[in-house]
Amino acid sequence: MVKNLQEMRKRVCAANKSLPKHGLVKFTWGNVSEVCRELGRIVIKPSGVDYDLLTPENMVVTDLDGHVVEGDLNPSSDLPTHVRLYKAWEEVGGIVHTHSTEAVGWAQAGRDIPFYGTTHADYFYGPVPCARSLTKEEVDGAYEQETGSVILEEFSKRGLDPMAVPGIVVRNHGPFTWGKTPEQAVYHSVVLEEVAKMNRLTEQINPRVEPAPKYIMDKHYLRKHGPNAYYGQKGDVH
Ligand SMILES: [Zn+2]
């Protein structure tokens, strides 16, 4: 379905502005984008601009390779990561990257975010993976694009479906989430941050805690997302 570019600008602007409201970013440490493959366009936050100053008009519009086609400002420096993921994952319509504190904690610790309870399973069907650190060559090369490649490498190595596990933490860096829409990608970012916090508390209270049973994961994930999903209202995007 071909999207309306002006509507995309509005959605991406609103989604970016929602990041500080959800407590996910400080300063300008985060960005949201949306793609329309039929239109051949990506809309993303301009680099380093305060969230208060964002308007639909100052969003940056690029082609599917990340070349700017509309806008005077530079796009977010993370754009090549978004481009890499959009090219590989056809079902993804929106991507979010932040340095939210709790998720960064797991990224810096180099750990997957384990499945300990139903909040997690409502949105992530399995542990949230921690991707490897980038090598020196990758950091010295096309850094942001390589970050996307490392995420794809992790998903393919583990045989994961990006729509069933809509997020990752990249080691020594932080979280990336995605969804069918930018709003859904933001929603997943909020859930990931909360789950990261809940899990930290869980391990503090019981350092020997084990992952929750798979049948609980199945029940909670599949009642919302399975072929016989019955949670919520028909057409709910979350
Ligand atoms: Zn970052």
Side-chain angles (χ1 to χ4, degrees), residues 29-31 78 97-99 143 147 173-176:
W29 304 344
N31 45 72
D78 294 309
H97 172 52
T98 77
H99 289 189
Y143 173 55
T147 301
H173 188 170
F176 291 79

Side-chain angles (χ1 to χ4, degrees), residues 1-237:
M1 188 190 70
V2 181
K3 295 177 184 174
N4 176 307
L5 194 58
Q6 186 55 22
E7 294 301 315
M8 284 175 74
R9 286 174 173 277
K10 283 187 197 164
R11 278 196 297 272
V12 172
C13 179
N16 275 287
K17 282 174 179 283
S18 77
L19 296 180
K21 285 186 200 140
H22 289 305
L24 293 172
V25 301
K26 295 191 165 48
F27 303 121
T28 58
W29 304 344
N31 45 72
V32 186
S33 72
E34 177 173 3
V35 70
C36 176
R37 293 175 182 83
E38 291 80 359
L39 211 55
R41 292 292 181 263
I42 293 170
V43 179
I44 193 164
K45 177 183 177 292
S47 182
V49 176
D50 197 272
Y51 293 93
D52 291 340
L53 303 176
L54 296 180
T55 64
E57 290 67 38
N58 65 20
M59 295 298 107
V60 181
V61 181
T62 78
D63 64 18
L64 297 181
D65 293 317
H67 301 120
V68 176
V69 290
E70 288 179 35
D72 301 327
L73 300 168
N74 291 326
S76 162
S77 52
D78 294 309
L79 172 65
T81 313
H82 295 231
V83 168
R84 189 82 181 86
L85 299 183
Y86 284 137
K87 282 190 179 178
W89 292 338
E90 288 279 307
E91 289 169 86
V92 171
I95 295 174
V96 176
H97 172 52
T98 77
H99 289 189
S100 63
T101 309
E102 299 280 344
V104 165
W106 292 83
Q108 294 186 169
R111 286 190 57 193
D112 290 2
I113 301 177
F115 167 57
Y116 289 146
T118 63
T119 319
H120 182 132
D122 280 337
Y123 300 95
F124 294 90
Y125 193 50
V128 176
C130 179
R132 67 171 172 83
S133 296
L134 275 69
T135 63
K136 183 170 189 309
E137 289 68 31
E138 287 164 343
V139 170
D140 290 345
Y143 173 55
E144 291 83 5
Q145 187 185 318
E146 296 288 2
T147 301
S149 300
V150 163
I151 294 171
L152 295 176
E153 173 192 306
E154 198 62 41
F155 268 69
S156 106
K157 195 171 78 187
R158 300 187 192 213
L160 294 176
D161 171 3
M163 302 317 281
V165 181
I168 193 165
V169 291
V170 176
R171 189 163 191 173
N172 305 130
H173 188 170
F176 291 79
T177 62
W178 47 83
K180 290 180 193 150
T181 63
E183 295 89 342
Q184 195 184 52
V186 170
Y187 198 95
H188 291 151
S189 220
V190 174
V191 174
L192 180 60
E193 180 66 3
E194 284 306 301
V195 168
K197 185 178 186 178
M198 289 171 182
N199 284 13
R200 177 171 61 79
L201 285 173
T202 303
E203 294 195 359
Q204 274 176 351
I205 296 164
N206 179 3
R208 288 181 301 280
V209 63
E210 296 285 331
K214 171 96 167 36
Y215 59 82
I216 292 180
M217 182 195 295
D218 286 346
K219 178 71 181 171
H220 270 263
Y221 186 80
L222 298 175
R223 71 178 187 156
K224 285 178 84 94
H225 309 279
N228 302 311
Y230 61 87
Y231 179 92
Q233 307 302 323
K234 223 180 166 141
D236 265 7
V237 75

